Amino acid sequence: MPDRIADIWGRRTPYGAEARWPVRVDQYLEDGVAEADVEWVRSACVLCSNGCGMDIAVHDGRIAGVRGRATDRVNHGRLGPKGLYGWQANNSPDRLTEPLIRETGGRLRPASWDEAMSLVAERSREVLAERGPLGMGFYNTGQLFLEDYYTLSLLVRAGIGTPHLDANTRLCTATADFALKETFGSDGDPGSVTDIDCCDTIFTIGHNIAETQTVLWSRILDRLHGPDRPRLVVVDPRRTAVAREADVHLPIRGGTNLALLNGIQHELIENGWVDRAFVDRNTVGFDRLTQTVAEYPPERAADICGVPADDIRAAARVIGGARRLVSTCLQGVYQSHQATASACQVNNINLLRAMIGRPGRAVFQMNGQPTAQNTRETGANGDLAGMRNWQNPEHVAELARIWNVDPLRVPAWAPPTHVMRMMRYAEEGSIRFLWIIGTNPAVSLPELARIRSILRQKRLFVVVSDAFRTETTEFADVVLPAAMWGEKTGTYTNHDRTVHLSERAVDPPGAARPDMEIFLDYARRLELTDKDGAPLIKWRTPEECFEAFKQMTRGRPCDYSGLSYDRLRGDNSGIQWPCTDQTPAGTERLYADHEFNTATDYCEDYGHDLLTGAAHERKDHSAMAPAGRAILKAAHYLPAHEPPTDDYPFWYTTGRTVYHWHTRTKTGRVRRLDAAAPEMWVEMSPADAERLDLAEGDLVRVESPRGRLKARVRIGGGRDGVVFAPFHYGYWDMPNGDGDGGSGNGDGNGGRDRARAANELTITDWDPVSKQPLVKTAAVSVTKVTEGGAQAR
Amino acid sequence: MKLDNAIKGVLDAEAALAKRLLAVGERHAADHDVYHLGHTLARQAADHVTRLTPFAERYHMAPPAPPHAGDSHGILETLRLKRSQLMGRAESAGMLLLRELRETYLLAQATEIAWTILQQAALAVRDGELLDVISTCHEQTETCAKWLRTRIKETAPQALAAG
């Protein structure tokens, strides 16, 4: 097999429209382990939202490799570089293997589970007694399994009774979730990955597919390099691998997505590239949309976005001429200015052209994380379990009935609290207990000096569950060692609603436990009960939890009622929800009948004003009466909150490299992946570099009004005036420790000379609808520190 | 004809609302959404004043003072901003925010009804141009009030029931 660090997408297997994507099985086994000596255990990859089917190779009780599953509907055997090599983190010698408790002196010392959990329960009871449920906060991840999430959701919503439960999916897919709810009435991506196989046009905005979902990009590349090549329109300020394949590339100015999308819709409507019969029959809001986008002729959009008007026309012409259009977007939209408003316009484009619910016709509001979809379905984030509407008393009552609790027990007086608001409550001192599960906010949230100063407060009791010590565990009062993927059984769902089962292949190291077991222990210690005094949580095993979950989803958009562990172990690898007794094979596309989930009694959300986030109420939704029609939402462009200035002349944007995941807790421990991208860098355009007299490898200081970092410069082909920084790098693996982590010198910027995390510079600001932090919208300055050779390591 | 009266009613209400939104945003800068949306909506209210001003002359009203657009950071704003950052760690911040959002909501409601009054009068005198301006501005003012209502519903439980 080729070196998949250099050859990221692997060998091409070109195919034409409506052909089957050829199988190519990617496999990697540890040196010295023969295929004959391993046992294969069924699983799926957890290193991006594509969720490729894979088998885990077990040798001598350890994970010794992986292979893509040839029969899987998502990947046809392929794996990306992170999937192939990332599992090695499981075997890392520095896994957390026992609970830790912070001593009075500040050091973390080993403890037994009983001692650690007693302390967590005792502190919880104190806070509940002193401050009530609103003093308790829980912040989890997009990395657990469905069963972990659902247990947590029930525990927090009906047991603790607080709305303060969110996940780091707030940073990745909150906008996808909200854009789908605004337009289609409920969450759930309508399309299927097989739509790539038969589309004739792909429109992608703010989505570096080549690095975020490498196997999905392989599929697209195989179409692009096969017969009947689809046309490709790409919007990205950087010249990414995706942009290099484009027919039309629009490297727009940061924060101007909405103006561009309005400009494109202006052209679609102006030129009659609209399916009026579909729009009239199946949507509401066309007149308002027409009125709004009328103000964005290509010249005006060009002026705002900083690209030629003719290029906008060319993009619109390609989209307008498509017969089978797949549109996708991701963080370039979700983490940027006017996020939900822009994401809704991508939905609009497909709706204007009736490109929905049929083969090759789909819009993907993409996910980032492998199990993000499950936080949304279980209600372990900003949603209510089973895609129920927190503003609909019937939905809340139904959930309370299923959970056997008083409806008043379920916090439904406002939307579930988003993480930035939870941090604010911790900052002002009204949240005093914060449990952080499988995520690393001390590196991943914006404006890190502020986040550190919040987590450092003595009055805040911090519990962290993780597989490794991280920058965040340095602020913890109690650290709980968690089992990882491969060490527990459970299910998860990818971005085209494909559900996979992942079996426990090996035991967790030392005393580490699956998250679900930790939650069950906590619920027992707090003696959480239902309204009849029986234990609130009725299950003990992942399978029992899955059975309870699927009953809870019956009749809702994410209906799992036809699924079971046995069915997921069957020959057809990967089954898409909704899956019911009537549709046992699953459902390839939502909305095939063009009937959307917008009936007032059924919908998951009544919608919002896109500019302010003002929540519509039931009466507003009834008055609009979409009743199964999709909602075309319109919004005007507004300038971003922190435009470049004389002092901070560059637009700062953060993003990913293909070799790393999140804050590198896993990928930084895998030799090949780490070696492929070992240190922080920033990317600038050739013209900007020349102006500042910078050569590749020079060390620069990048500053925003909130902080600074130092990094080496890479010169890339992006738009002038843009500084790109990867968000992966923190401090845990720097020499002498943690930068400014908890055991640093405590001034909030202690590792100043070594500060390198991208979020030192980002702004505390979030989208008014999805509440997704806007980490692609800051202004920064760049100063040369030393020439490349001088300080090379 | 006393339309000047109704126009003045709107202009005064919008100017007061703009000023208040700006002040609340600055005072609660540690609540970042209030800061940003306070500024955005203050600019919108100021823009309403600008759009309505040409009609003042048409209906014989003395031209109003130009509105405070909310872009410049005067000394007062800077002081408020500093104070809010210091206040950010106090638990009373939530109660203070709730009170100020409530007051701002009432101002937004006062502005909304001023537009309604002007709209009724504009219908009676059949001034289509004025009605066009009213239609956009009135809806935006309603949305501003709705945002305040949403934010108040989120704030009240934590401010009143936690601790």
Short mmCIF file of all heavy atoms in Angstrom, two decimals, chain A residues 131 134 164 288 413 421 424-425 427-430 432 453 459 609 611-612 614-617 620 641 764-766, chain B residues 30-33 36-37 40 44 88-91 93-94 139 143 146-147 149-151 153-154 157-158 162-163:
data_model
loop_
_atom_site.label_atom_id
_atom_site.label_comp_id
_atom_site.label_asym_id
_atom_site.label_seq_id
_atom_site.Cartn_x
_atom_site.Cartn_y
_atom_site.Cartn_z
N ARG A 131 -27.61 25.88 45.29
CA ARG A 131 -27.93 26.73 44.14
C ARG A 131 -28.98 26.14 43.22
O ARG A 131 -29.42 26.80 42.28
CB ARG A 131 -26.65 26.99 43.32
CG ARG A 131 -25.41 27.23 44.17
CD ARG A 131 -24.26 27.76 43.36
NE ARG A 131 -24.57 29.07 42.82
CZ ARG A 131 -24.41 30.20 43.49
NH1 ARG A 131 -23.95 30.19 44.71
NH2 ARG A 131 -24.72 31.35 42.93
N LEU A 134 -29.64 24.92 38.36
CA LEU A 134 -29.03 25.91 37.47
C LEU A 134 -27.59 26.22 37.87
O LEU A 134 -26.90 26.97 37.18
CB LEU A 134 -29.87 27.20 37.45
CG LEU A 134 -31.25 27.01 36.81
CD1 LEU A 134 -32.10 28.25 36.97
CD2 LEU A 134 -31.12 26.66 35.33
N HIS A 164 -28.40 23.31 31.32
CA HIS A 164 -27.00 23.59 30.99
C HIS A 164 -26.26 22.32 30.58
O HIS A 164 -25.44 21.79 31.31
CB HIS A 164 -26.29 24.21 32.19
CG HIS A 164 -26.96 25.43 32.73
ND1 HIS A 164 -27.70 26.28 31.94
CD2 HIS A 164 -26.99 25.96 33.98
CE1 HIS A 164 -28.16 27.28 32.69
NE2 HIS A 164 -27.76 27.10 33.92
N ARG A 288 -40.50 37.08 -0.44
CA ARG A 288 -39.57 37.80 0.44
C ARG A 288 -38.12 37.56 0.01
O ARG A 288 -37.31 38.49 -0.02
CB ARG A 288 -39.81 37.33 1.89
CG ARG A 288 -38.76 37.72 2.90
CD ARG A 288 -38.67 39.23 3.09
NE ARG A 288 -39.88 39.80 3.62
CZ ARG A 288 -40.04 40.14 4.90
NH1 ARG A 288 -39.08 39.97 5.75
NH2 ARG A 288 -41.18 40.67 5.31
N TRP A 413 -38.12 25.69 29.45
CA TRP A 413 -38.59 27.08 29.46
C TRP A 413 -37.81 27.96 28.49
O TRP A 413 -38.17 29.08 28.21
CB TRP A 413 -38.47 27.66 30.88
CG TRP A 413 -37.11 27.45 31.49
CD1 TRP A 413 -35.99 28.18 31.22
CD2 TRP A 413 -36.73 26.45 32.45
NE1 TRP A 413 -34.93 27.68 31.95
CE2 TRP A 413 -35.35 26.63 32.71
CE3 TRP A 413 -37.42 25.43 33.11
CZ2 TRP A 413 -34.64 25.83 33.61
CZ3 TRP A 413 -36.70 24.64 34.00
CH2 TRP A 413 -35.33 24.83 34.25
N ARG A 421 -22.60 30.50 26.67
CA ARG A 421 -23.41 31.06 27.75
C ARG A 421 -23.09 30.34 29.06
O ARG A 421 -23.04 30.96 30.12
CB ARG A 421 -24.89 30.92 27.37
CG ARG A 421 -25.89 31.46 28.37
CD ARG A 421 -25.95 32.99 28.45
NE ARG A 421 -26.19 33.65 27.18
CZ ARG A 421 -27.37 33.72 26.57
NH1 ARG A 421 -28.43 33.15 27.08
NH2 ARG A 421 -27.50 34.37 25.43
N ARG A 424 -20.15 31.84 30.40
CA ARG A 424 -20.50 33.15 30.97
C ARG A 424 -21.09 32.98 32.37
O ARG A 424 -20.77 33.74 33.30
CB ARG A 424 -21.49 33.85 30.04
CG ARG A 424 -22.04 35.15 30.56
CD ARG A 424 -21.01 36.27 30.53
NE ARG A 424 -21.50 37.45 31.26
CZ ARG A 424 -21.00 37.87 32.43
NH1 ARG A 424 -19.96 37.25 32.98
NH2 ARG A 424 -21.50 38.92 33.03
N TYR A 425 -21.96 31.98 32.55
CA TYR A 425 -22.55 31.73 33.87
C TYR A 425 -21.46 31.30 34.86
O TYR A 425 -21.50 31.66 36.03
CB TYR A 425 -23.64 30.67 33.78
CG TYR A 425 -24.91 31.13 33.09
CD1 TYR A 425 -25.78 30.22 32.49
CD2 TYR A 425 -25.27 32.48 33.04
CE1 TYR A 425 -26.95 30.61 31.85
CE2 TYR A 425 -26.43 32.89 32.40
CZ TYR A 425 -27.26 31.95 31.81
OH TYR A 425 -28.42 32.36 31.18
N GLU A 427 -18.42 32.25 34.61
CA GLU A 427 -17.63 33.47 34.83
C GLU A 427 -18.26 34.36 35.89
O GLU A 427 -17.60 34.87 36.80
CB GLU A 427 -17.51 34.23 33.50
CG GLU A 427 -16.68 35.49 33.56
CD GLU A 427 -16.55 36.15 32.18
OE1 GLU A 427 -17.57 36.22 31.43
OE2 GLU A 427 -15.45 36.58 31.83
N GLU A 428 -19.59 34.52 35.82
CA GLU A 428 -20.25 35.38 36.81
C GLU A 428 -20.49 34.63 38.11
O GLU A 428 -20.91 35.21 39.10
CB GLU A 428 -21.57 35.93 36.25
CG GLU A 428 -22.63 34.85 36.08
CD GLU A 428 -24.00 35.37 35.65
OE1 GLU A 428 -24.08 36.47 35.10
OE2 GLU A 428 -24.97 34.63 35.88
N GLY A 429 -20.28 33.32 38.11
CA GLY A 429 -20.35 32.55 39.35
C GLY A 429 -21.69 31.90 39.62
O GLY A 429 -21.92 31.38 40.70
N SER A 430 -22.59 31.90 38.63
CA SER A 430 -23.88 31.25 38.90
C SER A 430 -23.85 29.75 38.57
O SER A 430 -24.68 29.00 39.05
CB SER A 430 -25.03 31.97 38.20
OG SER A 430 -24.92 31.87 36.81
N ARG A 432 -21.50 26.55 39.36
CA ARG A 432 -20.40 26.25 40.28
C ARG A 432 -19.85 24.84 40.09
O ARG A 432 -18.89 24.44 40.75
CB ARG A 432 -20.88 26.40 41.74
CG ARG A 432 -21.24 27.82 42.13
CD ARG A 432 -20.02 28.72 42.16
NE ARG A 432 -20.37 30.11 42.40
CZ ARG A 432 -20.33 30.70 43.60
NH1 ARG A 432 -19.98 30.01 44.67
NH2 ARG A 432 -20.66 31.97 43.72
N SER A 453 -9.08 31.75 32.44
CA SER A 453 -9.37 32.49 33.68
C SER A 453 -10.70 32.04 34.29
O SER A 453 -10.87 32.09 35.50
CB SER A 453 -9.35 34.00 33.42
OG SER A 453 -10.55 34.40 32.80
N ARG A 459 -13.90 28.92 42.90
CA ARG A 459 -15.31 28.66 43.24
C ARG A 459 -15.98 27.68 42.27
O ARG A 459 -17.10 27.26 42.50
CB ARG A 459 -16.09 29.97 43.29
CG ARG A 459 -16.14 30.70 41.96
CD ARG A 459 -16.86 32.03 42.08
NE ARG A 459 -16.86 32.75 40.82
CZ ARG A 459 -17.40 33.95 40.64
NH1 ARG A 459 -17.98 34.56 41.66
NH2 ARG A 459 -17.37 34.54 39.48
N ASP A 609 -35.53 34.65 13.69
CA ASP A 609 -35.09 35.73 12.84
C ASP A 609 -33.58 35.55 12.65
O ASP A 609 -32.84 35.38 13.62
CB ASP A 609 -35.39 37.08 13.50
CG ASP A 609 -34.73 38.22 12.76
OD1 ASP A 609 -35.07 38.42 11.58
OD2 ASP A 609 -33.86 38.89 13.35
N LEU A 611 -31.18 37.52 11.61
CA LEU A 611 -30.27 38.60 11.99
C LEU A 611 -30.01 38.62 13.49
O LEU A 611 -28.88 38.75 13.95
CB LEU A 611 -30.83 39.96 11.54
CG LEU A 611 -30.11 41.19 12.09
CD1 LEU A 611 -28.73 41.32 11.45
CD2 LEU A 611 -30.92 42.46 11.87
N THR A 612 -31.08 38.48 14.28
CA THR A 612 -30.96 38.65 15.73
C THR A 612 -31.03 37.35 16.50
O THR A 612 -30.64 37.30 17.66
CB THR A 612 -32.12 39.53 16.25
OG1 THR A 612 -33.35 38.87 15.93
CG2 THR A 612 -32.09 40.91 15.64
N ALA A 614 -33.90 36.17 17.30
CA ALA A 614 -35.19 36.23 17.99
C ALA A 614 -35.97 34.96 17.66
O ALA A 614 -36.11 34.59 16.50
CB ALA A 614 -35.97 37.46 17.55
N ALA A 615 -36.46 34.28 18.71
CA ALA A 615 -37.13 32.99 18.50
C ALA A 615 -38.58 33.22 18.10
O ALA A 615 -39.31 33.95 18.77
CB ALA A 615 -37.05 32.16 19.77
N HIS A 616 -39.00 32.57 17.01
CA HIS A 616 -40.42 32.58 16.68
C HIS A 616 -41.14 31.66 17.65
O HIS A 616 -40.59 30.68 18.13
CB HIS A 616 -40.64 32.11 15.24
CG HIS A 616 -40.05 33.04 14.23
ND1 HIS A 616 -40.13 34.42 14.34
CD2 HIS A 616 -39.33 32.81 13.10
CE1 HIS A 616 -39.50 34.99 13.32
NE2 HIS A 616 -39.00 34.03 12.56
N GLU A 617 -42.37 32.00 17.92
CA GLU A 617 -43.17 31.19 18.83
C GLU A 617 -44.24 30.46 18.03
O GLU A 617 -44.38 30.66 16.83
CB GLU A 617 -43.74 32.09 19.94
CG GLU A 617 -42.59 32.72 20.75
CD GLU A 617 -43.05 33.66 21.86
OE1 GLU A 617 -44.28 33.79 22.09
OE2 GLU A 617 -42.16 34.26 22.50
N ASP A 620 -46.44 32.39 15.70
CA ASP A 620 -45.78 32.88 14.48
C ASP A 620 -45.72 31.76 13.43
O ASP A 620 -45.96 31.99 12.24
CB ASP A 620 -44.35 33.34 14.77
CG ASP A 620 -44.29 34.33 15.90
OD1 ASP A 620 -45.05 35.31 15.86
OD2 ASP A 620 -43.49 34.13 16.84
N HIS A 641 -18.16 41.91 12.61
CA HIS A 641 -17.99 42.71 13.82
C HIS A 641 -16.57 43.21 14.04
O HIS A 641 -16.35 44.17 14.74
CB HIS A 641 -18.44 41.90 15.05
CG HIS A 641 -19.91 41.61 15.04
ND1 HIS A 641 -20.46 40.48 15.59
CD2 HIS A 641 -20.94 42.31 14.52
CE1 HIS A 641 -21.76 40.50 15.42
NE2 HIS A 641 -22.08 41.58 14.76
N THR A 764 -14.56 36.42 21.03
CA THR A 764 -15.73 35.83 21.68
C THR A 764 -16.97 36.43 21.02
O THR A 764 -17.35 37.56 21.28
CB THR A 764 -15.74 36.12 23.19
OG1 THR A 764 -14.54 35.58 23.75
CG2 THR A 764 -16.94 35.47 23.86
N ASP A 765 -17.55 35.66 20.14
CA ASP A 765 -18.71 36.12 19.37
C ASP A 765 -19.33 34.85 18.81
O ASP A 765 -18.61 33.88 18.55
CB ASP A 765 -18.24 37.04 18.23
CG ASP A 765 -19.39 37.77 17.55
OD1 ASP A 765 -20.55 37.65 18.00
OD2 ASP A 765 -19.13 38.46 16.54
N TRP A 766 -20.64 34.83 18.67
CA TRP A 766 -21.26 33.62 18.15
C TRP A 766 -22.44 33.98 17.26
O TRP A 766 -22.95 35.09 17.32
CB TRP A 766 -21.68 32.69 19.28
CG TRP A 766 -22.54 33.30 20.34
CD1 TRP A 766 -23.89 33.47 20.32
CD2 TRP A 766 -22.10 33.83 21.60
NE1 TRP A 766 -24.31 34.06 21.48
CE2 TRP A 766 -23.23 34.29 22.29
CE3 TRP A 766 -20.83 33.96 22.21
CZ2 TRP A 766 -23.15 34.88 23.56
CZ3 TRP A 766 -20.76 34.55 23.47
CH2 TRP A 766 -21.92 34.99 24.13
N ALA B 30 -19.55 42.03 28.76
CA ALA B 30 -19.15 40.66 29.10
C ALA B 30 -20.18 39.65 28.62
O ALA B 30 -19.90 38.45 28.53
CB ALA B 30 -18.93 40.52 30.60
N ASP B 31 -21.39 40.10 28.33
CA ASP B 31 -22.37 39.27 27.63
C ASP B 31 -22.25 39.62 26.15
O ASP B 31 -22.88 40.57 25.68
CB ASP B 31 -23.78 39.51 28.17
CG ASP B 31 -23.98 38.80 29.49
OD1 ASP B 31 -24.15 37.57 29.47
OD2 ASP B 31 -23.91 39.47 30.54
N HIS B 32 -21.44 38.86 25.45
CA HIS B 32 -20.97 39.31 24.14
C HIS B 32 -22.07 39.47 23.11
O HIS B 32 -21.98 40.32 22.23
CB HIS B 32 -19.88 38.37 23.64
CG HIS B 32 -18.66 38.41 24.51
ND1 HIS B 32 -18.60 37.78 25.72
CD2 HIS B 32 -17.48 39.03 24.35
CE1 HIS B 32 -17.42 38.01 26.28
NE2 HIS B 32 -16.72 38.76 25.47
N ASP B 33 -23.11 38.66 23.22
CA ASP B 33 -24.20 38.81 22.24
C ASP B 33 -24.96 40.11 22.47
O ASP B 33 -25.37 40.77 21.52
CB ASP B 33 -25.14 37.60 22.29
CG ASP B 33 -25.73 37.36 23.67
OD1 ASP B 33 -25.11 37.77 24.68
OD2 ASP B 33 -26.82 36.76 23.76
N HIS B 36 -22.76 42.86 20.92
CA HIS B 36 -22.77 42.95 19.45
C HIS B 36 -24.15 43.30 18.91
O HIS B 36 -24.30 44.17 18.06
CB HIS B 36 -22.28 41.63 18.83
CG HIS B 36 -20.82 41.41 19.00
ND1 HIS B 36 -19.88 42.27 18.50
CD2 HIS B 36 -20.13 40.44 19.64
CE1 HIS B 36 -18.66 41.84 18.81
NE2 HIS B 36 -18.79 40.73 19.51
N LEU B 37 -25.17 42.62 19.41
CA LEU B 37 -26.51 42.91 18.88
C LEU B 37 -27.00 44.27 19.35
O LEU B 37 -27.74 44.95 18.64
CB LEU B 37 -27.49 41.80 19.28
CG LEU B 37 -27.42 40.60 18.33
CD1 LEU B 37 -28.14 39.40 18.91
CD2 LEU B 37 -28.04 40.95 16.97
N THR B 40 -25.57 46.49 16.79
CA THR B 40 -26.22 46.30 15.49
C THR B 40 -27.61 46.94 15.49
O THR B 40 -28.00 47.65 14.55
CB THR B 40 -26.35 44.80 15.16
OG1 THR B 40 -25.05 44.23 15.17
CG2 THR B 40 -27.00 44.57 13.83
N GLN B 44 -29.40 50.15 13.60
CA GLN B 44 -30.64 49.99 12.85
C GLN B 44 -31.66 51.06 13.28
O GLN B 44 -32.33 51.66 12.43
CB GLN B 44 -31.19 48.59 13.11
CG GLN B 44 -32.45 48.28 12.34
CD GLN B 44 -32.93 46.85 12.61
OE1 GLN B 44 -32.38 45.89 12.10
NE2 GLN B 44 -33.94 46.74 13.46
N GLY B 88 -18.13 41.84 35.24
CA GLY B 88 -18.45 40.56 34.63
C GLY B 88 -18.35 39.38 35.59
O GLY B 88 -18.98 38.36 35.40
N ARG B 89 -17.55 39.51 36.65
CA ARG B 89 -17.34 38.42 37.58
C ARG B 89 -18.34 38.44 38.74
O ARG B 89 -18.29 37.60 39.61
CB ARG B 89 -15.91 38.47 38.15
CG ARG B 89 -14.88 38.00 37.18
CD ARG B 89 -15.13 36.54 36.83
NE ARG B 89 -14.34 36.12 35.70
CZ ARG B 89 -13.12 35.63 35.77
NH1 ARG B 89 -12.53 35.53 36.94
NH2 ARG B 89 -12.49 35.25 34.70
N ALA B 90 -19.21 39.47 38.79
CA ALA B 90 -20.12 39.57 39.93
C ALA B 90 -21.41 38.84 39.61
O ALA B 90 -21.93 38.91 38.49
CB ALA B 90 -20.40 41.03 40.24
N GLU B 91 -21.94 38.13 40.58
CA GLU B 91 -23.17 37.38 40.36
C GLU B 91 -24.36 38.29 40.11
O GLU B 91 -25.35 37.90 39.53
CB GLU B 91 -23.45 36.49 41.56
CG GLU B 91 -23.01 35.06 41.32
CD GLU B 91 -23.64 34.13 42.32
OE1 GLU B 91 -24.75 33.64 42.04
OE2 GLU B 91 -23.03 33.91 43.38
N ALA B 93 -24.48 40.55 38.13
CA ALA B 93 -24.52 40.96 36.72
C ALA B 93 -25.79 40.47 36.04
O ALA B 93 -26.39 41.18 35.23
CB ALA B 93 -23.28 40.43 36.00
N GLY B 94 -26.23 39.26 36.37
CA GLY B 94 -27.42 38.69 35.75
C GLY B 94 -28.68 39.49 36.07
O GLY B 94 -29.50 39.76 35.18
N GLU B 139 -41.42 46.53 10.95
CA GLU B 139 -41.14 45.11 11.11
C GLU B 139 -39.81 44.88 11.83
O GLU B 139 -39.69 44.01 12.70
CB GLU B 139 -41.12 44.43 9.73
CG GLU B 139 -41.11 42.93 9.85
CD GLU B 139 -41.01 42.23 8.49
OE1 GLU B 139 -41.48 42.80 7.50
OE2 GLU B 139 -40.45 41.13 8.47
N THR B 143 -39.06 43.00 15.38
CA THR B 143 -38.05 41.94 15.54
C THR B 143 -37.10 42.28 16.67
O THR B 143 -36.68 41.41 17.44
CB THR B 143 -37.29 41.74 14.22
OG1 THR B 143 -38.24 41.39 13.22
CG2 THR B 143 -36.25 40.64 14.35
N LYS B 146 -38.73 41.44 19.75
CA LYS B 146 -38.80 39.98 19.86
C LYS B 146 -37.46 39.38 20.31
O LYS B 146 -37.42 38.45 21.11
CB LYS B 146 -39.18 39.42 18.49
CG LYS B 146 -39.71 38.02 18.51
CD LYS B 146 -40.23 37.72 17.13
CE LYS B 146 -40.95 36.42 17.07
NZ LYS B 146 -41.56 36.22 15.77
N TRP B 147 -36.38 39.96 19.81
CA TRP B 147 -35.06 39.51 20.28
C TRP B 147 -34.92 39.77 21.78
O TRP B 147 -34.47 38.91 22.53
CB TRP B 147 -33.93 40.21 19.52
CG TRP B 147 -32.61 39.94 20.19
CD1 TRP B 147 -31.98 38.73 20.26
CD2 TRP B 147 -31.81 40.86 20.92
NE1 TRP B 147 -30.82 38.86 21.01
CE2 TRP B 147 -30.69 40.14 21.42
CE3 TRP B 147 -31.92 42.23 21.20
CZ2 TRP B 147 -29.70 40.75 22.18
CZ3 TRP B 147 -30.92 42.82 21.97
CH2 TRP B 147 -29.83 42.10 22.45
N ARG B 149 -37.22 39.98 23.94
CA ARG B 149 -38.10 39.04 24.63
C ARG B 149 -37.43 37.66 24.74
O ARG B 149 -37.44 37.05 25.80
CB ARG B 149 -39.41 38.95 23.84
CG ARG B 149 -40.46 38.06 24.43
CD ARG B 149 -41.68 38.06 23.50
NE ARG B 149 -42.53 36.94 23.82
CZ ARG B 149 -43.41 36.92 24.82
NH1 ARG B 149 -43.56 37.98 25.58
NH2 ARG B 149 -44.12 35.84 25.08
N THR B 150 -36.83 37.21 23.62
CA THR B 150 -36.12 35.93 23.63
C THR B 150 -35.00 35.95 24.67
O THR B 150 -34.84 35.03 25.46
CB THR B 150 -35.51 35.66 22.23
OG1 THR B 150 -36.56 35.64 21.27
CG2 THR B 150 -34.77 34.34 22.18
N ARG B 151 -34.23 37.03 24.65
CA ARG B 151 -33.07 37.14 25.55
C ARG B 151 -33.52 37.22 27.01
O ARG B 151 -32.87 36.65 27.90
CB ARG B 151 -32.26 38.37 25.14
CG ARG B 151 -30.87 38.47 25.75
CD ARG B 151 -30.00 37.30 25.33
NE ARG B 151 -28.62 37.45 25.75
CZ ARG B 151 -28.17 37.14 26.96
NH1 ARG B 151 -28.99 36.68 27.88
NH2 ARG B 151 -26.89 37.29 27.27
N LYS B 153 -36.30 35.89 28.22
CA LYS B 153 -36.78 34.56 28.62
C LYS B 153 -35.62 33.63 28.97
O LYS B 153 -35.75 32.76 29.82
CB LYS B 153 -37.63 33.95 27.50
CG LYS B 153 -39.02 34.57 27.42
CD LYS B 153 -39.79 34.11 26.18
CE LYS B 153 -40.33 32.70 26.34
NZ LYS B 153 -41.22 32.35 25.19
N GLU B 154 -34.49 33.83 28.30
CA GLU B 154 -33.32 33.01 28.62
C GLU B 154 -32.64 33.46 29.91
O GLU B 154 -32.09 32.66 30.66
CB GLU B 154 -32.29 33.08 27.47
CG GLU B 154 -32.74 32.35 26.22
CD GLU B 154 -31.85 32.66 25.02
OE1 GLU B 154 -30.73 33.20 25.21
OE2 GLU B 154 -32.28 32.38 23.90
N PRO B 157 -34.52 32.90 34.21
CA PRO B 157 -34.36 31.75 35.12
C PRO B 157 -33.01 31.77 35.84
O PRO B 157 -32.94 31.58 37.05
CB PRO B 157 -34.45 30.54 34.18
CG PRO B 157 -35.20 31.02 33.00
CD PRO B 157 -34.81 32.46 32.83
N GLN B 158 -31.93 32.04 35.11
CA GLN B 158 -30.61 31.99 35.74
C GLN B 158 -30.45 33.13 36.75
O GLN B 158 -29.90 32.95 37.83
CB GLN B 158 -29.51 32.08 34.67
CG GLN B 158 -28.12 31.73 35.16
CD GLN B 158 -27.94 30.24 35.43
OE1 GLN B 158 -28.79 29.43 35.06
NE2 GLN B 158 -26.86 29.88 36.10
N ALA B 162 -31.25 30.67 40.13
CA ALA B 162 -29.98 30.00 40.47
C ALA B 162 -29.42 30.62 41.75
O ALA B 162 -29.24 31.82 41.82
CB ALA B 162 -28.98 30.15 39.33
N GLY B 163 -29.13 29.80 42.71
CA GLY B 163 -28.51 30.29 43.94
C GLY B 163 -29.52 30.78 44.95
O GLY B 163 -30.71 30.71 44.76
#
